[in-house]
């Protein structure tokens, strides 16, 4: 630093290195980079996951650890946990990738006809062509028909469907449209706490104001309208609340919203003039008895024209979750309701800069919304595979809740839906103190210790947000049942050991 | 409007609709949306392409037009123009999509071994798993080895490779990192004029300052250092120039930079402390005799440690162009040289929010950088297919230049590389006047007329930027030779008719 020479901008420009070569200071440094990017945090792939990857490397290099393998229960990555893809989906993708297979008699006819339909919608009949920026026409038509079936006949216009690169892409794009203003007129966006950290990350990057509303842990992570009201009232003092994000079924919290709750939320959004964003990527992941998925779109339309014709809504779906779990293909769609026409043109223009979502992901999305039908040759195996996956998930949701609730100091709400448990954990005072002294969140300290001792990789609750003084972790329910049992037992033992150690 | 009630923020809140229902004003309107998004323009998919799509629909509905089909020569979409995919690539993708095919004896062994290697690098051996945010390890290793071969042995560290969702994703991400400051300290980014409009669109969205440097049309669109110097000197009056973007081979201009020019650019970047961004997605598309692709990375390292150890460089590649033309898969990578370690951590964190690039695109990128080798069963057919595509492109590049230069009022530089011609066109005064009166750019007026009369869809030069008072269009050289001949002839006839009409 002593060799630095100031430039006319007052920044260090050059320094003499040890070998005598004039070396330049970097153009791009942590101090001169985009400040909003620095504010971004994403716990699901944060420091604990980086440590897990290191541990895996150390194990593979023969280093001794108190465990034989690292189990990544940090992310909803079904196939990585051994879930098998739906055979029909993969057959069609293979046919689309290499159409010479269309003359292979071992492929079922329905797979071939789906592949032909997709290829006919691609320029030059190739998945290697760009699609329209909004997505392939025929896929958007299939999505619209799927939504109509799902929502008991409520009409869906394919023009309102935009295919996306996973749901994340759609969510970020919608938030991007909404951001404007400065100071107290800056756009504020309401998000649940706990939340999926894509939201906080995107808002930080966009420089929007994050408005927290707390889910009610005591009532199984349900959403109270009084809490929404409190949050928006307070927020109006310092920003311009313009959007309300809902995750249903909940991530990381696993709750499934009642129809009544959704109606109340819609009324609230109308009253407070908020753009609704409904993250519904877990719409097939509902396990608890008495729970049912209701789409915001359906409820909105059933509330009559006063709402159906006015409330602005974007809802999001993806190929990554549910029974298919095809995260790597980055497929997804969003449906836009009541969006201003000029804004829609702007949205289409904005999407065109990135040309198009990945076409294999679009093809996969098409298969998800248009799976084999009764009478088609692949129908039986499709239903069997889908049912097996969803039944196993339901079983694992129950198992996770049950085992965790046998541990003193862990309290777990029912996993009604989605793919995660988010139990509350009691961390002894002494551990909180030690964590604080080393500059860590207490639940990060807890999860790091669990990783080092057991090889289990969880995400601390602080990465999702939680009420002050409470601690949680998020754990996926995805490992195969046998492995999940071992994992839960290890968590139990660790918690007991940890509690004892710090008591 | 007369029924509007003002809110406390002074915005219209509600109005009575004709049927008496209170209807709310939209939350999100053109006036209340993100102002930077409104500034984004992207001509390659702009109004002219929307009209082309409309015309296609009208034709399909039986409407009479003066042409039988719309020919989209607006975008570098090779497969849509009939180019065939590389068989080996698609075989491997089919195997990765549906691994049951690994036991199919009709697939060559080298395709199977590539597929196995890719699948072994995927969680749960499935392309449906998320990859690491930076991309699959083994793919990044293959990319590094490819770069080393391409650059005559210059070392490449896989840790510097980031897989991306097409090259666009990488370019936007890098620009995002670079943006900071306000007013006269706001980040400025130098881009060529004419440019590929991803750059101007991204800079508008990020609110960065676009600094134009003009390519020299008289010298075959070459890059003059004196022009770079002029541009940066002027820009220092009103912003903080921090990055210099180069497109080589050029898009839309088709020039291939000499080694000497690249050296000069690197020296300039070092002297002016600019982060270099080298868009090299057309690296295999070099046709003109005496022209050769030199990567910025290679030249940088051959200039010795004073440059090799200091100049910050990001270079970009993609699966979308060259001989493969696999746009729909959205595969790509970037290599980052001399980036500050803390910034690199921030980059990795930022990418993690979007989880990962599409895995099929990553697999395809792997095949591009690791194609069949001599002695492997698919080597012969791979070389044959690749050579056929590249030879045809070289022939079409020459043909395009030759035919266009036979037209009085059209003057076309040699298409040394890439996939486009960008000829200069003379537009008669009367036509310029009529265009200006109807609020159109004269070359937009020209291209729109050509589309309506011939069905040929080109992009006006104003969408890429050009010297004031000059007019151009961009036309891809991708249509099959027979079709290209017809197309060029139609362009010729149209230009003559247009010139006559407005003279």
């Amino acid at each position: 630093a002593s060799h630095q020479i100031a430039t006319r901008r007052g920044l260090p420009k050059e320094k003499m290195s040890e070998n005598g070569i004039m070396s330049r200071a970097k153009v791009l440094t942590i101090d001169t980079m985009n400040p909003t990017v620095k504010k971004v945090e994403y716990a699901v792939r944060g420091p604990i996951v980086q440590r897990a990857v290191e541990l895996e490397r150390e194990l593979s290099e023969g280093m001794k650890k108190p465990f034989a393998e690292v189990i990544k229960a940090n992310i909803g990555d079904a196939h990585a946990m051994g879930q098998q893809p739906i055979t029909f989906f993969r057959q069609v993708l293979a046919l689309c990738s290499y159409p010479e297979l269309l003359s292979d008699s071992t492929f079922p006819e329905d797979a071939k006809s789906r592949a032909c339909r997709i290829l006919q919608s691609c320029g030059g009949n190739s998945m290697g062509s760009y699609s329209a920026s909004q997505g392939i026409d025929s896929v958007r038509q299939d999505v619209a028909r799927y939504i109509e079936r799902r929502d008991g006949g409520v009409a869906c216009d394919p023009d309102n469907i935009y295919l996306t690169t996973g749901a994340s892409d759609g969510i970020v794009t919608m938030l991007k449209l909404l951001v404007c203003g400065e100071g107290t007129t800056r756009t504020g966006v309401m998000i649940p706490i706990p939340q999926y950290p894509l939201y906080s990350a995107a808002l930080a990057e966009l420089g929007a104001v994050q408005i927290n509303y707390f889910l009610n842990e005591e009532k199984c992570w349900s959403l109270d309208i009084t809490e929404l009201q409190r949050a928006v009232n307070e927020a109006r003092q310092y920003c311009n609340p313009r959007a309300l994000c809902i995750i249903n079924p909940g991530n990381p919290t696993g709750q499934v919203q009642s129809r009544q709750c959704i109606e109340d939320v819609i009324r609230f959004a109308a009253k407070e003039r908020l753009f609704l964003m409904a993250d519904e990527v877990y719409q097939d992941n509902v396990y608890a008895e008495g729970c049912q998925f209701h789409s915001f779109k359906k409820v909105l339309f059933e509330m009559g024209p006063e709402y159906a014709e006015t409330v602005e809504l974007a809802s999001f779906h993806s190929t990554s979750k549910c029974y298919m779990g095809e995260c790597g293909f980055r497929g997804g769609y969003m449906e836009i309701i009541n969006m201003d026409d000029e804004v829609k043109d702007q949205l289409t223009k904005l999407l065109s800069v990135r040309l198009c979502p990945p076409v294999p992901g679009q093809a996969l999305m098409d298969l998800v919304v248009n799976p084999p039908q009764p009478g088609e040759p692949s129908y039986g195996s499709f239903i069997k595979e889908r049912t097996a996956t969803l039944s196993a998930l339901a079983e694992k949701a129950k198992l996770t809740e049950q085992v965790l609730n046998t541990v003193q100091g862990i309290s777990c709400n029912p996993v009604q839906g989605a793919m995660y448990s988010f139990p509350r954990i009691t961390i002894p005072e002494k551990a909180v103190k030690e964590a604080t002294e080393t500059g860590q969140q207490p639940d990060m300290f807890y999860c790091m210790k669990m990783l080092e001792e057991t090889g289990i990789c969880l995400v601390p609750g602080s990465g999702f947000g939680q009420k002050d003084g409470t601690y949680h972790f998020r754990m996926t329910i995805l490992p195969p049942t046998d492995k999940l049992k071992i994992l839960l037992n290890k968590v139990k033992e660790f918690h007991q050991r940890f509690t004892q150690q710090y008591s």
Side-chain angles (χ1 to χ4, degrees), chain A:
Chain A
S2 58
H3 299 287
Q4 283 167 359
I5 299 163
T7 68
R8 56 192 135 154
R9 288 198 182 276
L11 296 171
K13 191 175 180 182
E14 294 179 336
K15 58 180 174 183
M16 194 75 73
S17 72
E18 283 169 23
N19 58 10
I21 290 179
M22 281 301 273
S23 76
R24 292 167 190 84
K26 303 280 183 198
V27 174
L28 186 59
T29 66
I30 194 82
D31 296 322
T32 64
M33 67 175 282
N34 190 331
T36 64
V37 170
K38 274 190 278 186
K39 288 188 196 136
V40 169
E41 286 181 25
Y42 188 67
V44 175
R45 293 200 157 187
I48 198 150
V49 184
Q50 286 167 25
R51 180 62 189 144
V53 171
E54 261 176 47
L55 284 172
E56 274 182 330
R57 197 167 304 167
E58 291 174 8
L59 273 176
S60 76
E61 287 164 0
M63 266 177 82
K64 277 248 160 89
K65 299 282 167 196
F67 47 85
E69 64 167 331
V70 172
I71 304 174
K72 288 190 197 149
N74 59 297
I75 189 166
D77 191 358
H79 291 199
M81 285 288 122
Q83 185 181 307
Q84 291 305 302
I86 299 287
T87 304
F88 178 78
F89 292 179
R90 294 311 196 90
Q91 286 173 331
V92 178
L93 286 170
L95 290 161
C96 288
S97 300
Y98 187 53
E100 281 75 358
L101 290 171
L102 286 166
S103 57
D104 182 332
S105 59
T106 62
F107 280 82
E109 284 308 313
D110 49 355
K112 289 183 185 175
S113 68
R114 284 300 193 294
C116 286
R117 183 159 185 276
I118 291 168
L119 289 174
Q120 279 159 13
S121 308
C122 293
N125 300 329
S126 168
M127 286 210 296
S129 304
Y130 291 119
S131 77
S133 302
Q134 195 172 347
I136 297 172
D137 273 0
S138 66
V139 178
R140 292 191 294 111
Q141 285 158 15
D142 288 347
V143 169
R145 280 195 290 260
Y146 160 81
I147 291 174
E148 289 179 347
R149 284 195 309 276
R150 182 196 69 186
D151 291 346
V154 173
C156 177
D157 182 348
D159 277 353
N160 291 335
I161 304 297
Y162 291 75
L163 299 181
T164 56
T165 307
S168 306
D169 172 44
I171 292 167
V172 172
T173 302
M174 276 311 308
L175 290 173
K176 194 180 279 179
L177 290 181
L178 281 156
V179 173
C180 71
E182 291 302 329
T184 56
T185 68
R186 188 69 178 164
T187 291
V189 177
M190 303 182 72
I191 63 170
I193 297 293
Q195 54 123 9
Y196 173 58
L198 167 69
Y199 291 92
S200 51
L203 295 175
E205 196 189 319
L206 293 165
V209 180
Q210 174 179 326
I211 305 170
N212 296 334
Y213 66 87
F214 289 86
L215 300 175
N216 189 337
E217 181 165 15
E218 282 64 41
K219 289 190 186 164
C220 200
W221 296 115
S222 65
L223 194 164
D224 294 339
I225 299 298
T226 50
E227 167 60 10
L228 285 182
Q229 192 67 62
R230 176 205 64 76
V232 82
N233 289 351
E234 285 181 18
R236 287 204 194 280
Q237 311 300 315
Y238 56 85
C239 71
N240 180 14
R242 302 189 71 203
L244 168 56
C245 300
I246 306 281
I247 312 174
N248 178 48
N251 175 7
T253 39
Q255 84 285 15
V256 177
Q257 292 184 339
S258 68
R259 201 187 173 293
Q260 184 58 52
C261 174
I262 293 171
E263 262 198 55
D264 293 344
V265 169
I266 291 172
R267 253 184 228 106
F268 174 82
K271 178 171 80 78
E272 297 291 338
R273 302 193 67 245
L274 297 168
F275 193 108
L276 265 174
M277 292 177 56
D279 180 340
E280 301 179 326
V281 301
Y282 298 98
Q283 55 191 262
D284 290 332
N285 297 109
V286 176
Y287 317 119
E289 264 181 56
C291 285
Q292 198 192 331
F293 171 74
H294 304 275
S295 82
F296 266 75
K297 159 84 179 295
K298 178 172 195 256
V299 176
L300 178 66
F301 275 68
E302 289 172 354
M303 287 168 71
E306 187 188 345
Y307 296 93
E309 292 174 10
T310 62
V311 174
E312 294 149 85
L313 168 69
S315 59
F316 306 92
H317 195 17
S318 150
T319 59
S320 304
K321 310 298 167 185
C322 299
Y323 61 89
M324 51 280 184
E326 296 274 15
C327 315
F329 282 78
R330 314 307 298 124
Y333 75 75
M334 56 182 177
E335 183 185 14
I336 305 286
I337 307 288
N338 291 321
M339 182 180 267
D340 178 88
D341 284 340
E342 285 177 301
V343 177
K344 224 167 144 181
D345 289 346
Q346 293 286 326
L347 169 60
T348 306
K349 178 195 72 176
L350 182 63
L351 293 174
S352 75
V353 180
R354 294 290 189 96
L355 299 163
C356 70
V359 174
Q362 296 188 47
L364 192 51
M365 193 77 245
D366 189 56
L367 301 170
V368 169
V369 296
N370 186 20
Q373 298 304 308
E376 291 189 318
S378 303
Y379 181 71
S381 74
F382 167 71
I383 293 294
K384 201 173 142 206
E385 291 174 3
R386 186 181 66 174
T387 308
T389 299
L390 289 176
S391 309
L393 284 170
E395 187 194 4
K396 292 187 280 191
K398 199 79 204 153
L399 178 72
T400 303
E401 176 202 344
Q402 283 172 340
V403 176
L404 289 176
N405 280 327
T406 64
V407 189
Q408 189 158 16
I410 297 188
S411 147
C412 184
N413 268 321
V415 181
Q416 297 175 332
M419 294 179 167
Y420 317 96
S421 64
F422 194 69
R424 184 154 169 178
I425 49 177
T426 306
I427 299 187
E429 266 312 307
K430 241 168 100 181
V432 172
K433 194 157 167 274
E434 191 172 322
T436 316
E437 282 167 8
T438 56
Q440 278 181 90
Q441 294 287 344
D443 49 12
M444 172 64 91
F445 176 80
Y446 174 98
C447 289
M448 236 359 154
K449 254 194 141 42
M450 188 179 329
L451 174 62
E452 296 288 349
E453 292 182 18
T454 67
I456 298 169
C457 180
L458 308 177
V459 191
S462 46
F464 304 90
Q466 55 198 352
K467 278 213 165 135
D468 280 348
T470 70
Y471 306 109
H472 302 78
F473 59 73
R474 187 183 85 165
M475 187 186 111
T476 73
I477 59 166
L478 293 173
T481 309
D482 287 353
K483 213 169 183 171
L484 183 63
K485 281 183 186 161
I486 298 170
L487 186 150
L488 288 165
N489 229 36
K490 281 185 168 191
V491 170
K492 184 176 184 163
E493 286 167 15
F494 168 80
H495 188 84
Q496 290 166 339
R497 207 162 54 237
F498 181 88
T499 306
Q500 202 161 23
Q501 192 185 343
Y502 288 97
S503 290

